[in-house]
Amino acid sequence: MAILEAKKLTKIFGDDPKKAIPLLEKGWSKDKILKESKLTVGVNQAEFSIESGQIFVIMGLSGSGKSTLVRLLNRLIEPTTGQLLFNGSDVLRMNPEQLRQYRRKHIGMVFQKFALFPHRTVIQNIEYGLEIQGIEKKKRREMAMESLKLVGLSGYEDSYPHQLSGGMQQRVGLARGLANDPEILLMDEAFSALDPLIRKDMQDELLELQTKMKKTIVFITHDLDEALRIGDQIALMKDGSIVQIGTPEEILMQPANKYVERFVEDVDLSKVLTASHAMEKAETITIDRGPRVALQFMRDRGVSSLYVVDRSMTLLGLVSAEDAAAALKDSKGLEDVMQKEVPITSPDSLLNELFEMMGNAKLPVAVIDDTGRLRGVVIKGAVLAALAGNGNSLLDGGDSE
Amino acid sequence: MNLPKIPLADWIESIEKWLENNLGPLFDFISLIIGGTVNGLDDMLRGVPPLVIIALFVVLAWFLGKWKMALFTLIGLLIIENLGLWGPTMQTLALVLTAAIISVVIGVPIGILCANSNVMQRIFTPLLDFMQTMPAFVYLLPAVTFFRLGVVPGVISSIIFAIPPTIRLTNLGIRQVPGELVEAADAFGSTPLQKLFKLQLPIAVPTIMAGINQTIMLSLSMVVIASMIGAQGVGEYVYRAVTQGRTGVGFEAGLAIVILAIILDRLTQKVVQRTEKKS
């Protein structure tokens, strides 16, 4: 179920913002409206629906309206028109008290430059949201400590923010956002101010936290790699409008227009494509067949080895033509001659990890899903083709699984 | 061109008359509060032996600053005592502290209002400019009309002259709180008062303290002028020395004011630095 849903959510800056709405509906561009009416379009009729438990990434270059859009979601910036439904109730109709409750209980926020209160210690920062709700001191301290532990900073509770590194400060920011256990967490370029290595760590940790806590996260970024790494859904913004919404693969493989295409053309595909995109159909034989059948199969299909599986496609091993021939001579079964050590990987592993693995392996890599079933095989050539940017055909192949 | 002169002086005087006739009880009430505060402080400062007060100041200086400041405070206050100016200096201190306390009580809330509303800021900025640049002597006349002679009109004119820095710097201090922090406080659902007391004021404290420091210095600069309308204290000695042409006496009294000024300035500056360090 959608936890947060925006309908024609619009923000116009200027003296008489309502004036621009009919112009937007006529489809005028941001530039044209600015020229004709001196009004600036912040967010233009944004439509999206965020599922509970999703990481929804809003991506765009600076000035695209993404930071404005995220602030419309907790009304730090008051939308001009439109609807915003939180679990079905309209956020824009809340009175100040209801809005405060919404912000206190349901929607947390993490800021780009951390925005920690310099006069408060780490733990006092984290418990701020609880303190203003009037939760008594002992209880809120406990909750804040729990949150601090979650981000791995136990022991720093009495430090002041300026005593911590950037990465640590943002962990505190994250802990503060999580302390009152909101359903939704807004993250406004939360990792953009961190250096690249720390940033990657934080992304990993966020994904880990996400699996544990099942929050709905709205993540703003200008970095496509980051968006592709953590997003379940990505909304791409330009000039205040959402240009395309889709999964990372959809954005990459089926760009909605030239803008998206230009945006994604420099993406390092190896960090996005997974084994399931590059894999091919595996040639298999069930274990109860004899070596003679195996050799016949290989001849028919023009291959020199077969994966041995049981009837439910669970991978058991690999048999080569030499193995089969030897088994035939000694009248043995396939299970006696097959190689049981076969390189395997999961459908979700990224091609760049796979590439390293394949560098020193003679055999292709078998792709095994969670239940142990053989889904396909990745050969070196396919990985290279994917990395060369020939992604479209791969995606089609990958989706047919 | 022979336009008639605008009768500004007449207007002002009729406003003064009207206020005097209609708001008399209000002025009496204000007079009661201010007079009470000054006299209370005065009794306190002069009720205990000078050495006790000196010791208190030295300890405070030691606590806030270093031994150098404590030493200066000790020697300075002993000189004042030695010159026989202890009593009037304490009267002056009572006047200055009263003006400063009332300036803070009135000025900080006005500063907060200005910080939260551009309209208020636009109204107060020219008003504050006016208050600071109008020659301070001019305040004496209406002050005497409304509050009669004595220490109260002295305090009132000191407040008018000295309150602007507190208002300005409170406004500035709150406006300087980084937008992201204010956003964070809002994003977690703070009420306006929670935001003010838990974020804006604590962060603005060093700036506000700098304003209070200036307010104290300005009201100290008013003590001689205030003595012209009967405010007692060391300013009275300066004023009398000037009218009688006695350079030596004037210098002694002036020195007492300088010593008091330096001590108050350094002490409040140390408070500013301490609050800065904290935030």
Side-chain angles (χ1 to χ4, degrees):
Chain A
M1 190 197 131
I3 186 165
L4 207 57
E5 207 176 343
K7 291 179 180 164
K8 294 205 160 199
L9 196 61
T10 300
K11 176 65 191 181
I12 293 150
F13 297 102
D15 283 338
D16 184 10
K18 300 259 180 205
K19 230 171 47 189
I21 292 161
L23 305 181
L24 282 179
E25 278 166 358
K26 270 192 243 164
W28 284 27
S29 74
K30 180 177 170 163
D31 285 343
K32 194 170 174 197
I33 291 176
L34 179 65
K35 225 193 227 157
E36 301 281 323
S37 66
K38 303 264 182 296
L39 295 171
T40 307
V41 178
V43 173
N44 180 3
Q45 305 172 79
E47 299 256 351
F48 55 81
S49 145
I50 301 174
E51 297 299 313
S52 183
Q54 238 182 15
I55 300 187
F56 186 86
V57 175
I58 300 173
M59 203 198 71
L61 300 175
S62 59
S64 62
K66 56 191 190 305
S67 284
T68 307
L69 179 53
V70 75
R71 280 165 175 74
L72 299 182
L73 303 184
N74 60 358
R75 284 176 61 188
L76 279 182
I77 295 177
E78 205 59 49
T80 310
T81 58
Q83 257 193 328
L84 177 66
L85 303 177
F86 168 72
N87 284 334
S89 63
D90 195 343
V91 174
L92 306 191
R93 292 197 176 175
M94 291 177 176
N95 64 29
E97 182 52 33
Q98 289 168 323
L99 177 61
R100 263 198 293 281
Q101 292 309 324
Y102 169 63
R103 287 170 173 176
R104 286 177 177 182
K105 306 252 161 75
H106 305 296
I107 191 158
M109 191 159 181
V110 182
F111 294 84
Q112 178 174 11
K113 289 178 193 130
F114 324 137
L116 300 178
F117 302 140
H119 59 295
R120 292 175 149 244
T121 61
V122 165
I123 199 75
Q124 286 171 338
N125 262 285
I126 296 173
E127 67 184 11
Y128 180 83
L130 304 165
E131 183 182 325
I132 59 175
Q133 292 181 33
I135 294 174
E136 57 112 6
K137 197 169 165 132
K138 205 170 145 241
K139 175 104 188 288
R140 70 176 190 239
R141 187 51 59 104
E142 251 169 48
M143 292 168 77
M145 287 303 247
E146 197 56 42
S147 198
L148 188 66
K149 204 168 111 195
L150 216 55
V151 298
L153 277 185
S154 298
Y156 287 95
E157 51 268 21
D158 294 324
S159 307
Y160 280 89
H162 69 89
Q163 296 169 315
L164 307 181
S165 69
M168 288 158 95
Q169 289 190 33
Q170 195 54 304
R171 278 165 210 259
V172 177
L174 190 58
R176 184 175 63 174
L178 290 170
N180 34 357
D181 200 24
E183 289 101 314
I184 304 174
L185 192 62
L186 305 178
M187 302 185 72
D188 179 24
E189 300 241 17
F191 303 151
S192 300
L194 306 175
D195 68 58
L197 283 177
I198 310 262
R199 195 158 160 184
K200 192 163 170 295
D201 286 349
M202 292 292 283
Q203 291 166 356
D204 288 341
E205 265 176 63
L206 183 69
L207 289 173
E208 210 184 302
L209 273 176
Q210 165 68 3
T211 8
K212 249 190 278 178
M213 305 184 68
K214 303 270 180 259
K215 299 282 175 209
T216 306
I217 296 175
V218 181
F219 195 101
I220 309 297
T221 183
H222 61 260
D223 176 358
L224 186 60
D225 279 342
E226 186 166 69
L228 295 169
R229 232 171 102 76
I230 65 174
D232 294 317
Q233 287 279 311
I234 299 175
L236 208 92
M237 285 189 83
K238 181 187 184 248
D239 291 343
S241 306
I242 294 180
V243 193
Q244 184 175 6
I245 298 184
T247 62
E249 283 86 357
E250 282 164 1
I251 297 269
L252 278 181
M253 299 309 174
Q254 297 139 23
N257 59 25
K258 276 266 174 297
Y259 177 75
V260 183
E261 217 169 89
R262 278 230 314 281
F263 215 105
V264 300
E265 72 190 0
D266 293 333
V267 175
D268 182 353
L269 289 170
S270 69
K271 290 183 186 158
V272 183
L273 295 176
T274 59
S276 64
H277 293 123
M279 71 188 180
E280 294 166 6
K281 188 169 175 292
E283 299 298 340
T284 58
I285 184 166
T286 39
I287 185 103
D288 54 0
R289 308 287 125 152
R292 194 181 303 272
V293 182
L295 283 168
Q296 181 63 37
F297 272 15
M298 289 183 212
R299 238 188 330 268
D300 291 351
R301 297 172 192 172
V303 294
S304 59
S305 61
L306 292 172
Y307 284 100
V308 182
V309 295
D310 66 12
R311 288 191 173 276
S312 56
M313 280 298 273
T314 305
L315 179 65
L316 300 172
L318 181 84
V319 60
S320 67
E322 293 88 56
D323 297 334
L328 193 61
K329 211 170 86 194
D330 305 343
S331 35
K332 284 184 184 160
L334 286 180
E335 69 267 35
D336 301 319
V337 293
M338 68 184 182
Q339 305 165 38
K340 289 185 177 117
E341 298 289 316
V342 182
I344 56 167
T345 187
S346 76
D348 297 331
S349 40
L350 293 171
L351 286 193
N352 66 343
E353 296 162 15
L354 218 53
F355 194 58
E356 285 168 27
M357 195 173 143
M358 296 185 87
N360 38 29
K362 285 193 205 84
L363 296 168
V365 178
V367 181
I368 308 288
D369 69 12
D370 296 346
T371 57
R373 260 177 284 196
L374 179 65
R375 305 301 302 269
V377 59
V378 179
I379 61 169
K380 217 182 265 183
V383 175
L384 288 172
L387 298 188
N390 188 12
N392 266 317
S393 56
L394 279 171
L395 184 79
D396 299 340
D399 269 355
S400 68
E401 62 183 43
Chain B
M1 283 263 280
N2 202 0
L3 287 174
K5 172 185 174 291
I6 303 171
L8 192 56
D10 295 342
W11 292 347
I12 296 294
E13 271 156 33
S14 52
I15 292 173
E16 188 192 40
K17 270 264 148 40
W18 187 88
L19 289 173
E20 192 189 353
N21 292 333
N22 292 283
L23 295 183
L26 177 67
F27 293 133
D28 290 345
F29 178 69
I30 294 173
S31 191
L32 199 71
I33 292 180
I34 293 178
T37 313
V38 179
N39 292 331
L41 277 172
D42 191 12
D43 290 348
M44 226 165 68
L45 290 168
R46 287 195 294 162
V48 280
L51 284 180
V52 175
I53 301 284
I54 292 176
L56 281 177
F57 266 98
V58 171
V59 169
L60 190 64
W62 182 280
F63 175 69
L64 285 173
K66 280 188 244 136
W67 63 271
K68 273 190 206 162
M69 211 168 97
L71 185 67
F72 177 85
T73 306
L74 177 68
I75 294 173
L77 292 178
L78 284 175
I79 290 174
I80 292 174
E81 160 72 359
N82 177 268
L83 293 174
L85 292 170
W86 184 259
T89 303
M90 288 304 108
Q91 281 180 319
T92 295
L93 183 60
L95 185 151
V96 169
L97 287 182
T98 306
I101 290 168
I102 294 175
S103 293
V104 170
V105 169
I106 299 173
V108 170
I110 293 179
I112 292 169
L113 281 179
C114 289
N116 285 312
S117 146
N118 287 331
V119 176
M120 289 297 273
Q121 178 175 251
R122 253 176 268 142
I123 293 171
F124 268 94
T125 305
L127 205 62
L128 296 180
D129 293 341
F130 184 93
M131 283 157 68
Q132 273 190 301
T133 45
M134 177 64 87
F137 288 96
V138 179
Y139 301 132
L140 297 183
L141 299 167
V144 171
T145 316
F146 298 145
F147 301 103
R148 297 178 198 90
L149 289 176
V151 74
V152 175
V155 173
I156 298 273
S157 42
S158 296
I159 291 172
I160 295 173
F161 186 66
I163 201 172
T166 295
I167 298 177
R168 282 189 215 276
L169 287 168
T170 302
N171 176 24
L172 180 72
I174 289 178
R175 283 178 186 263
Q176 274 178 340
V177 174
E180 270 218 331
L181 299 185
V182 178
E183 265 195 334
D186 282 333
F188 288 101
S190 311
T191 63
L193 278 184
Q194 286 173 332
K195 190 167 65 177
L196 181 66
F197 285 110
K198 290 180 190 292
L199 174 70
Q200 293 171 311
L201 280 181
I203 292 192
V205 160
T207 314
I208 296 174
M209 281 308 302
I212 294 173
N213 168 280
Q214 285 187 34
T215 290
I216 292 175
M217 291 301 106
L218 285 177
S219 53
L220 201 56
S221 75
M222 277 293 285
V223 297
V224 177
I225 297 171
S227 69
M228 293 166 65
I229 49 173
Q232 291 175 316
V234 76
E236 203 187 345
Y237 284 64
V238 177
Y239 181 53
R240 214 183 303 145
V242 171
T243 52
Q244 296 170 359
R246 296 172 64 186
T247 312
V249 177
F251 186 82
E252 282 182 1
L255 183 66
I257 293 178
V258 171
I259 290 170
L260 189 60
I262 292 177
I263 292 173
L264 289 179
D265 180 55
R266 298 298 184 274
L267 284 179
T268 47
Q269 272 191 14
K270 286 290 171 201
V271 176
V272 175
Q273 285 166 15
R274 284 171 74 93
T275 51
E276 258 170 2
K277 242 184 247 157
K278 250 175 102 186
S279 66

